[in-house]
Amino acid sequence: MKLSNFNFDLPTELLAEYPSANRDESRLMVLDREKQTIEHRMFKDLIEYFNEDDVLVLNNTKVFPARLFGNKEKTGARIEVFLLRELNAETRLWDVLVDPARKIRIGNKLYFGEDESLVAEVIDNTTSRGRTLRFLYDGSYEEFRMKLNELGQTPLPKYIKRDVEPEDEERYQTIYAKNEGAVAAPTAGLHFSKHLMKRLEIKGVHFSEVTLHVGLGTFSPVEVEDLSKHKMDSEEIIISPEAANMINTGLTNKKRVCAVGTTAMRTLESSVSSNRTLNPYAGWTNKFIFPPYEFSIANAMITNLHTPKSTLLMMVSAFAGHEFIKEAYAEAVKEKYRFYSYGDAMLIL
């Protein structure tokens, strides 16, 4: 499979700038791999496709307000700092991206907040836009993290051209988010409302929670025609013994095990035992899934509609079949489905 196999024309107006008014009222395209059929439903109709003891695998990562705006010392130039990951809690070292990067050199200081109560010093260049910052803050670690939360903004994806609005803080987060550490939301989960989850629970559907802290690498463009040469960034994952046990029980009992999102799917496929069951695991994954690929754990998947040439589209193609996904995406464009993070959803059975 080559990169060019995953290109298609996506009209700009189909990129969703805002979420649907209610979480569970986005549209849902249902693909049946066996019958090769496509249905058009609402997300809340999802309940009709699941039965007692089926398992939904949720990524419970929580997005933190990773986008900060500061000023450079002396010049006062406005600089955007995107927090990627904490390297050391004690010394307050962080991996970040800066924009505009050409102005930011080792030794520069950046000031944040009206009162400049948070300062950071650039101590290393990691990539063309990447830097390592040491934050200087008088106060405990808890107070420092509170300060980051206070000054940071919801890290909406770059394709959303508008400013962050107050409702984004809630809507760019799943209702089951628990473990803070993601710089992007696991967007397939954004469609679940409390009401829908309650109805699924009453029906006897189980929720198994895993964690993958989504990094920006998930959205890094693929720049090689030969997909086997593309390298994914590593992201931290956690699969507890309880989560693995619930999923393995579902598999043993021939139930539907559905990965909610590409991040949940990558987590599952990163810790498969030799007899094709799920192992508990805490560590890192740089799993890249593209066709042809044989999946070991999930037999169904909920996902958003992805952009051309993205690693997410490649994984979905591997799961549903490349030709079937091409057909479904052509239909989605024709029917004006909304794409990307705040867009509509797809259920693949």
Side-chain angles (χ1 to χ4, degrees):
M1 274 290 178
K2 297 201 158 34
L3 179 62
S4 45
N5 294 132
F6 298 92
N7 202 9
F8 65 95
D9 287 328
L10 178 58
T12 320
E13 67 269 18
L14 297 186
L15 290 171
E17 288 271 322
Y18 288 92
S20 57
N22 297 310
R23 284 182 186 268
D24 58 13
E25 288 182 351
S26 47
R27 291 162 80 190
L28 179 70
M29 184 185 266
V30 183
L31 272 55
D32 187 314
R33 294 181 290 172
E34 203 177 321
K35 299 182 187 144
Q36 295 281 295
T37 54
I38 297 173
E39 283 182 278
H40 302 290
R41 306 293 300 266
M42 296 287 279
F43 195 83
K44 58 187 175 189
D45 301 333
L46 183 80
I47 192 159
E48 295 174 28
Y49 298 90
F50 290 89
N51 296 307
E52 192 173 356
D53 292 333
D54 285 344
V55 183
L56 283 169
V57 184
L58 311 174
N59 179 7
N60 67 10
T61 189
K62 188 173 186 181
V63 180
F64 65 93
R67 188 170 274 132
L68 298 170
F69 291 94
N71 298 96
K72 191 179 163 189
E73 63 179 338
K74 298 194 180 91
T75 66
R78 182 173 151 96
I79 306 293
E80 179 186 318
V81 172
F82 196 100
L83 301 173
L84 289 179
R85 63 178 72 84
E86 185 174 51
L87 299 174
N88 187 310
E90 209 175 313
T91 55
R92 297 179 191 170
L93 284 186
W94 283 75
D95 251 347
V96 305
L97 295 176
V98 292
D99 194 24
R102 60 193 159 69
K103 295 182 175 176
I104 304 301
R105 299 188 172 87
I106 294 173
N108 287 160
K109 283 204 171 76
L110 302 172
Y111 293 87
F112 302 93
E114 297 282 308
D115 56 355
E116 300 187 341
S117 54
L118 183 63
V119 184
E121 184 180 4
V122 182
I123 61 167
D124 198 9
N125 287 348
T126 50
T127 61
S128 60
R129 285 182 59 214
R131 302 289 183 271
T132 303
L133 296 189
R134 177 188 286 121
F135 283 97
L136 312 168
Y137 181 74
D138 291 332
S140 67
Y141 178 72
E142 286 66 35
E143 289 166 328
F144 164 64
R145 288 304 295 241
M146 276 166 68
K147 179 56 79 175
L148 285 185
N149 278 343
E150 177 198 317
L151 295 173
Q153 284 187 4
T154 303
L156 290 183
K158 279 283 193 202
Y159 84 88
I160 294 178
K161 298 291 181 251
R162 61 179 174 81
D163 286 341
V164 173
E165 295 175 17
E167 74 155 359
D168 290 312
E169 193 177 334
E170 182 212 342
R171 292 301 302 271
Y172 195 63
Q173 195 82 272
T174 63
I175 60 167
Y176 47 78
K178 287 191 186 71
N179 293 340
E180 194 171 82
V183 299
T187 53
L190 297 179
H191 306 283
F192 284 88
S193 62
K194 287 194 170 79
H195 181 64
L196 177 59
M197 289 188 81
K198 195 73 204 163
R199 287 171 64 215
L200 285 160
E201 200 182 309
I202 290 165
K203 200 169 181 180
V205 175
H206 302 300
F207 301 113
S208 174
E209 294 187 12
V210 298
T211 304
L212 180 144
H213 289 316
V214 190
L216 282 185
T218 297
F219 310 105
S220 290
V222 180
E223 289 168 338
V224 285
E225 183 63 12
D226 176 357
L227 298 185
S228 63
K229 304 248 184 331
H230 178 69
K231 293 281 180 285
M232 294 284 278
D233 282 359
S234 288
E235 292 163 310
E236 191 177 2
I237 62 174
I238 302 160
I239 304 167
S240 69
E242 299 74 34
N245 190 32
M246 186 186 284
I247 290 163
N248 290 333
T249 303
L251 289 174
T252 305
N253 296 333
K254 304 274 191 286
K255 296 294 177 185
R256 190 160 270 167
V257 174
C258 179
V260 177
T262 55
T263 58
M265 183 67 90
R266 264 193 311 129
T267 305
L268 296 177
E269 290 297 314
S270 296
S271 188
V272 180
S273 73
S274 53
N275 54 359
R276 294 169 74 106
T277 58
L278 186 64
N279 285 331
Y281 178 71
W284 296 79
T285 182
N286 60 354
K287 186 96 180 154
F288 174 33
I289 297 172
F290 58 94
Y293 181 86
E294 199 175 326
F295 290 81
S296 298
I297 307 293
N299 47 36
M301 179 181 192
I302 295 166
T303 186
N304 276 23
L305 290 149
H306 306 296
T307 48
K309 296 184 175 178
S310 61
T311 58
L312 312 171
L313 176 58
M314 291 163 195
M315 179 198 290
V316 173
S317 288
F319 190 72
H322 187 60
E323 291 306 317
F324 192 24
I325 280 292
K326 267 172 71 171
E327 182 193 333
Y329 268 57
E331 177 97 352
V333 169
K334 187 173 116 238
E335 294 294 328
K336 299 206 168 1
Y337 271 70
R338 296 157 72 249
F339 279 69
Y340 218 33
S341 304
Y342 270 155
D344 294 315
M346 185 181 267
L347 168 64
I348 306 170
L349 301 170

